[in-house]
mmCIF file of all heavy atoms in Angstrom:
data_model
loop_
_atom_site.group_PDB
_atom_site.id
_atom_site.type_symbol
_atom_site.label_atom_id
_atom_site.label_comp_id
_atom_site.label_asym_id
_atom_site.label_seq_id
_atom_site.Cartn_x
_atom_site.Cartn_y
_atom_site.Cartn_z
ATOM 1 N N ASP V 39 0.856 -1.150 -0.008
ATOM 2 C CA ASP V 39 -0.028 0.014 -0.007
ATOM 3 C C ASP V 39 0.871 1.247 -0.002
ATOM 4 O O ASP V 39 1.163 1.823 1.044
ATOM 5 C CB ASP V 39 -0.899 -0.020 1.238
ATOM 6 C CG ASP V 39 -1.841 1.222 1.306
ATOM 7 O OD1 ASP V 39 -1.956 1.939 0.290
ATOM 8 O OD2 ASP V 39 -2.279 1.561 2.411
ATOM 9 N N PRO V 40 1.358 1.683 -1.169
ATOM 10 C CA PRO V 40 2.341 2.816 -1.247
ATOM 11 C C PRO V 40 1.613 4.152 -1.249
ATOM 12 O O PRO V 40 1.988 5.079 -2.067
ATOM 13 C CB PRO V 40 3.008 2.472 -2.586
ATOM 14 C CG PRO V 40 1.986 1.882 -3.426
ATOM 15 C CD PRO V 40 1.107 1.046 -2.486
ATOM 16 N N THR V 41 0.697 4.375 -0.396
ATOM 17 C CA THR V 41 0.079 5.670 -0.227
ATOM 18 C C THR V 41 0.775 6.542 0.691
ATOM 19 O O THR V 41 1.557 6.053 1.619
ATOM 20 C CB THR V 41 -1.403 5.522 0.247
ATOM 21 O OG1 THR V 41 -1.389 4.910 1.519
ATOM 22 C CG2 THR V 41 -2.161 4.622 -0.807
ATOM 23 N N GLN V 42 0.525 7.861 0.608
ATOM 24 C CA GLN V 42 1.174 8.826 1.537
ATOM 25 C C GLN V 42 0.742 8.532 2.965
ATOM 26 O O GLN V 42 1.493 8.671 3.953
ATOM 27 C CB GLN V 42 0.853 10.248 1.135
ATOM 28 C CG GLN V 42 1.602 11.256 1.981
ATOM 29 C CD GLN V 42 3.096 11.181 1.769
ATOM 30 O OE1 GLN V 42 3.611 11.090 0.642
ATOM 31 N NE2 GLN V 42 3.881 11.228 2.875
ATOM 32 N N ARG V 43 -0.538 8.275 3.153
ATOM 33 C CA ARG V 43 -1.077 7.983 4.455
ATOM 34 C C ARG V 43 -0.371 6.866 5.087
ATOM 35 O O ARG V 43 -0.024 6.816 6.313
ATOM 36 C CB ARG V 43 -2.649 7.799 4.394
ATOM 37 C CG ARG V 43 -3.258 7.487 5.788
ATOM 38 C CD ARG V 43 -4.765 7.302 5.605
ATOM 39 N NE ARG V 43 -5.383 7.005 6.895
ATOM 40 C CZ ARG V 43 -6.655 6.845 7.059
ATOM 41 N NH1 ARG V 43 -7.506 6.986 6.052
ATOM 42 N NH2 ARG V 43 -7.144 6.635 8.290
ATOM 43 N N GLN V 44 -0.236 5.756 4.340
ATOM 44 C CA GLN V 44 0.480 4.531 4.897
ATOM 45 C C GLN V 44 1.947 4.910 5.204
ATOM 46 O O GLN V 44 2.456 4.539 6.202
ATOM 47 C CB GLN V 44 0.407 3.460 3.843
ATOM 48 C CG GLN V 44 1.247 2.218 4.181
ATOM 49 C CD GLN V 44 0.640 1.270 5.132
ATOM 50 O OE1 GLN V 44 0.142 1.740 6.203
ATOM 51 N NE2 GLN V 44 0.692 -0.021 4.983
ATOM 52 N N LEU V 45 2.572 5.697 4.310
ATOM 53 C CA LEU V 45 3.960 6.001 4.531
ATOM 54 C C LEU V 45 4.168 6.852 5.837
ATOM 55 O O LEU V 45 5.101 6.633 6.620
ATOM 56 C CB LEU V 45 4.542 6.736 3.362
ATOM 57 C CG LEU V 45 5.958 7.224 3.457
ATOM 58 C CD1 LEU V 45 6.925 6.070 3.659
ATOM 59 C CD2 LEU V 45 6.413 8.028 2.210
ATOM 60 N N ASP V 46 3.238 7.840 6.044
ATOM 61 C CA ASP V 46 3.315 8.650 7.212
ATOM 62 C C ASP V 46 3.189 7.777 8.489
ATOM 63 O O ASP V 46 3.969 8.016 9.461
ATOM 64 C CB ASP V 46 2.197 9.696 7.203
ATOM 65 C CG ASP V 46 2.381 10.787 6.193
ATOM 66 O OD1 ASP V 46 3.498 10.865 5.666
ATOM 67 O OD2 ASP V 46 1.366 11.465 5.857
ATOM 68 N N SER V 47 2.320 6.853 8.511
ATOM 69 C CA SER V 47 2.146 5.908 9.611
ATOM 70 C C SER V 47 3.391 5.079 9.835
ATOM 71 O O SER V 47 3.918 4.888 10.941
ATOM 72 C CB SER V 47 0.991 5.078 9.408
ATOM 73 O OG SER V 47 0.803 4.091 10.454
ATOM 74 N N LEU V 48 3.997 4.533 8.766
ATOM 75 C CA LEU V 48 5.142 3.651 8.855
ATOM 76 C C LEU V 48 6.340 4.412 9.329
ATOM 77 O O LEU V 48 7.161 3.883 10.190
ATOM 78 C CB LEU V 48 5.421 2.988 7.478
ATOM 79 C CG LEU V 48 4.383 1.951 7.068
ATOM 80 C CD1 LEU V 48 4.672 1.559 5.624
ATOM 81 C CD2 LEU V 48 4.276 0.699 7.956
ATOM 82 N N LEU V 49 6.555 5.588 8.879
ATOM 83 C CA LEU V 49 7.710 6.358 9.193
ATOM 84 C C LEU V 49 7.619 6.758 10.693
ATOM 85 O O LEU V 49 8.594 6.823 11.472
ATOM 86 C CB LEU V 49 7.929 7.608 8.335
ATOM 87 C CG LEU V 49 8.256 7.319 6.923
ATOM 88 C CD1 LEU V 49 8.337 8.690 6.132
ATOM 89 C CD2 LEU V 49 9.561 6.506 6.788
ATOM 90 N N GLN V 50 6.464 7.050 11.226
ATOM 91 C CA GLN V 50 6.249 7.382 12.613
ATOM 92 C C GLN V 50 6.502 6.174 13.481
ATOM 93 O O GLN V 50 7.186 6.273 14.519
ATOM 94 C CB GLN V 50 4.777 7.825 12.821
ATOM 95 C CG GLN V 50 4.493 8.139 14.298
ATOM 96 C CD GLN V 50 5.377 9.166 14.845
ATOM 97 O OE1 GLN V 50 5.371 10.317 14.425
ATOM 98 N NE2 GLN V 50 6.160 8.789 15.862
ATOM 99 N N GLN V 51 6.107 4.939 13.014
ATOM 100 C CA GLN V 51 6.382 3.754 13.767
ATOM 101 C C GLN V 51 7.884 3.523 13.843
ATOM 102 O O GLN V 51 8.415 3.105 14.901
ATOM 103 C CB GLN V 51 5.708 2.518 13.055
ATOM 104 C CG GLN V 51 4.168 2.566 13.121
ATOM 105 C CD GLN V 51 3.539 1.495 12.301
ATOM 106 O OE1 GLN V 51 4.160 0.400 12.149
ATOM 107 N NE2 GLN V 51 2.400 1.744 11.763
ATOM 108 N N LEU V 52 8.625 3.683 12.735
ATOM 109 C CA LEU V 52 10.014 3.459 12.696
ATOM 110 C C LEU V 52 10.761 4.489 13.549
ATOM 111 O O LEU V 52 11.737 4.139 14.268
ATOM 112 C CB LEU V 52 10.529 3.517 11.247
ATOM 113 C CG LEU V 52 10.118 2.314 10.339
ATOM 114 C CD1 LEU V 52 10.412 2.671 8.893
ATOM 115 C CD2 LEU V 52 10.933 1.057 10.790
ATOM 116 N N GLU V 53 10.266 5.706 13.581
ATOM 117 C CA GLU V 53 10.818 6.712 14.427
ATOM 118 C C GLU V 53 10.681 6.336 15.883
ATOM 119 O O GLU V 53 11.570 6.548 16.719
ATOM 120 C CB GLU V 53 10.236 8.069 14.082
ATOM 121 C CG GLU V 53 10.720 9.222 15.001
ATOM 122 C CD GLU V 53 12.225 9.453 15.015
ATOM 123 O OE1 GLU V 53 12.839 8.954 14.107
ATOM 124 O OE2 GLU V 53 12.727 10.210 15.913
ATOM 125 N N THR V 54 9.520 5.860 16.251
ATOM 126 C CA THR V 54 9.247 5.405 17.691
ATOM 127 C C THR V 54 10.262 4.343 18.024
ATOM 128 O O THR V 54 10.747 4.359 19.169
ATOM 129 C CB THR V 54 7.847 4.881 17.772
ATOM 130 O OG1 THR V 54 6.879 5.927 17.451
ATOM 131 C CG2 THR V 54 7.577 4.433 19.197
ATOM 132 N N VAL V 55 10.475 3.457 17.125
ATOM 133 C CA VAL V 55 11.423 2.268 17.458
ATOM 134 C C VAL V 55 12.867 2.849 17.574
ATOM 135 O O VAL V 55 13.623 2.495 18.437
ATOM 136 C CB VAL V 55 11.398 1.214 16.278
ATOM 137 C CG1 VAL V 55 12.512 0.132 16.624
ATOM 138 C CG2 VAL V 55 10.027 0.532 16.243
ATOM 139 N N ARG V 56 13.220 3.742 16.699
ATOM 140 C CA ARG V 56 14.629 4.404 16.768
ATOM 141 C C ARG V 56 14.737 5.081 18.131
ATOM 142 O O ARG V 56 15.823 4.922 18.803
ATOM 143 C CB ARG V 56 14.743 5.471 15.696
ATOM 144 C CG ARG V 56 16.126 6.119 15.710
ATOM 145 C CD ARG V 56 16.185 7.276 14.687
ATOM 146 N NE ARG V 56 15.442 8.439 15.184
ATOM 147 C CZ ARG V 56 16.022 9.441 15.908
ATOM 148 N NH1 ARG V 56 17.310 9.389 16.267
ATOM 149 N NH2 ARG V 56 15.289 10.460 16.267
ATOM 150 N N VAL V 57 13.803 5.959 18.602
ATOM 151 C CA VAL V 57 13.938 6.600 19.883
ATOM 152 C C VAL V 57 13.963 5.655 20.994
ATOM 153 O O VAL V 57 14.829 5.794 21.903
ATOM 154 C CB VAL V 57 12.707 7.572 20.002
ATOM 155 C CG1 VAL V 57 12.736 8.155 21.448
ATOM 156 C CG2 VAL V 57 12.749 8.659 18.982
ATOM 157 N N GLN V 58 13.250 4.549 20.941
ATOM 158 C CA GLN V 58 13.221 3.652 22.097
ATOM 159 C C GLN V 58 14.546 2.876 22.089
ATOM 160 O O GLN V 58 15.134 2.698 23.223
ATOM 161 C CB GLN V 58 12.103 2.612 21.894
ATOM 162 C CG GLN V 58 11.979 1.600 23.077
ATOM 163 C CD GLN V 58 11.642 2.300 24.354
ATOM 164 O OE1 GLN V 58 10.719 3.116 24.430
ATOM 165 N NE2 GLN V 58 12.505 2.113 25.331
ATOM 166 N N VAL V 59 15.034 2.497 20.932
ATOM 167 C CA VAL V 59 16.396 1.787 20.901
ATOM 168 C C VAL V 59 17.504 2.689 21.452
ATOM 169 O O VAL V 59 18.415 2.288 22.208
ATOM 170 C CB VAL V 59 16.702 1.328 19.532
ATOM 171 C CG1 VAL V 59 18.135 0.821 19.369
ATOM 172 C CG2 VAL V 59 15.744 0.117 19.109
ATOM 173 N N ASN V 60 17.478 3.925 20.995
ATOM 174 C CA ASN V 60 18.518 4.869 21.472
ATOM 175 C C ASN V 60 18.317 5.099 22.968
ATOM 176 O O ASN V 60 19.356 5.197 23.753
ATOM 177 C CB ASN V 60 18.345 6.208 20.718
ATOM 178 C CG ASN V 60 18.832 6.177 19.311
ATOM 179 O OD1 ASN V 60 19.487 5.146 18.936
ATOM 180 N ND2 ASN V 60 18.627 7.187 18.541
ATOM 181 N N THR V 61 17.176 5.123 23.475
ATOM 182 C CA THR V 61 17.010 5.357 24.956
ATOM 183 C C THR V 61 17.480 4.096 25.743
ATOM 184 O O THR V 61 18.198 4.286 26.746
ATOM 185 C CB THR V 61 15.453 5.503 25.257
ATOM 186 O OG1 THR V 61 14.989 6.651 24.554
ATOM 187 C CG2 THR V 61 15.222 5.727 26.737
ATOM 188 N N ASP V 62 17.140 2.903 25.202
ATOM 189 C CA ASP V 62 17.649 1.694 25.896
ATOM 190 C C ASP V 62 19.163 1.537 25.939
ATOM 191 O O ASP V 62 19.658 1.025 26.889
ATOM 192 C CB ASP V 62 16.967 0.476 25.210
ATOM 193 C CG ASP V 62 15.493 0.426 25.399
ATOM 194 O OD1 ASP V 62 14.975 1.180 26.269
ATOM 195 O OD2 ASP V 62 14.843 -0.331 24.657
ATOM 196 N N SER V 63 19.809 2.015 24.880
ATOM 197 C CA SER V 63 21.251 1.891 24.782
ATOM 198 C C SER V 63 22.027 3.059 25.288
ATOM 199 O O SER V 63 23.278 2.989 25.400
ATOM 200 C CB SER V 63 21.693 1.511 23.373
ATOM 201 O OG SER V 63 21.368 2.601 22.484
ATOM 202 N N GLY V 64 21.288 4.115 25.564
ATOM 203 C CA GLY V 64 22.081 5.415 25.894
ATOM 204 C C GLY V 64 22.560 5.523 27.309
ATOM 205 O O GLY V 64 23.188 6.442 27.651
ATOM 206 N N THR V 65 22.172 4.567 28.164
ATOM 207 C CA THR V 65 22.567 4.572 29.545
ATOM 208 C C THR V 65 24.005 4.117 29.803
ATOM 209 O O THR V 65 24.591 4.399 30.845
ATOM 210 C CB THR V 65 21.632 3.760 30.455
ATOM 211 O OG1 THR V 65 21.598 2.440 29.935
ATOM 212 C CG2 THR V 65 20.235 4.290 30.290
ATOM 213 N N ASP V 66 24.520 3.413 28.791
ATOM 214 C CA ASP V 66 25.930 2.891 28.990
ATOM 215 C C ASP V 66 26.958 3.852 28.339
ATOM 216 O O ASP V 66 27.107 3.937 27.151
ATOM 217 C CB ASP V 66 26.059 1.572 28.251
ATOM 218 C CG ASP V 66 27.367 0.850 28.535
ATOM 219 O OD1 ASP V 66 28.211 1.438 29.196
ATOM 220 O OD2 ASP V 66 27.526 -0.281 28.113
ATOM 221 N N ARG V 67 27.549 4.639 29.202
ATOM 222 C CA ARG V 67 28.457 5.637 28.759
ATOM 223 C C ARG V 67 29.865 5.144 28.465
ATOM 224 O O ARG V 67 30.732 5.805 27.976
ATOM 225 C CB ARG V 67 28.577 6.834 29.751
ATOM 226 C CG ARG V 67 27.190 7.549 29.896
ATOM 227 C CD ARG V 67 27.370 8.681 30.865
ATOM 228 N NE ARG V 67 26.083 9.411 31.063
ATOM 229 C CZ ARG V 67 25.610 10.340 30.229
ATOM 230 N NH1 ARG V 67 26.254 10.703 29.132
ATOM 231 N NH2 ARG V 67 24.432 10.933 30.494
ATOM 232 N N THR V 68 30.064 3.863 28.771
ATOM 233 C CA THR V 68 31.425 3.198 28.531
ATOM 234 C C THR V 68 31.494 2.611 27.178
ATOM 235 O O THR V 68 32.558 2.041 26.826
ATOM 236 C CB THR V 68 31.775 2.253 29.650
ATOM 237 O OG1 THR V 68 30.843 1.122 29.544
ATOM 238 C CG2 THR V 68 31.605 2.822 31.016
ATOM 239 N N PHE V 69 30.431 2.619 26.472
ATOM 240 C CA PHE V 69 30.351 1.876 25.209
ATOM 241 C C PHE V 69 29.763 2.821 24.096
ATOM 242 O O PHE V 69 28.663 3.418 24.341
ATOM 243 C CB PHE V 69 29.511 0.613 25.309
ATOM 244 C CG PHE V 69 29.495 -0.257 24.058
ATOM 245 C CD1 PHE V 69 30.301 -1.279 23.983
ATOM 246 C CD2 PHE V 69 28.547 -0.012 23.024
ATOM 247 C CE1 PHE V 69 30.357 -2.104 22.815
ATOM 248 C CE2 PHE V 69 28.498 -0.752 21.941
ATOM 249 C CZ PHE V 69 29.433 -1.856 21.737
ATOM 250 N N ARG V 70 30.322 2.918 23.002
ATOM 251 C CA ARG V 70 29.803 3.694 21.822
ATOM 252 C C ARG V 70 29.823 2.867 20.585
ATOM 253 O O ARG V 70 30.863 2.322 20.188
ATOM 254 C CB ARG V 70 30.608 4.957 21.661
ATOM 255 C CG ARG V 70 30.075 5.795 20.529
ATOM 256 C CD ARG V 70 30.895 7.117 20.418
ATOM 257 N NE ARG V 70 30.826 7.940 21.629
ATOM 258 C CZ ARG V 70 31.569 8.957 21.820
ATOM 259 N NH1 ARG V 70 32.406 9.373 20.958
ATOM 260 N NH2 ARG V 70 31.505 9.677 22.939
#
């Protein structure tokens, strides 16, 4: 379903995952 509405929803979902992953891994300051 290559519609703009579908794309907006998918990109928001991916952004949510990105933020969560960065939050989960951001507490370890000894590892980059």
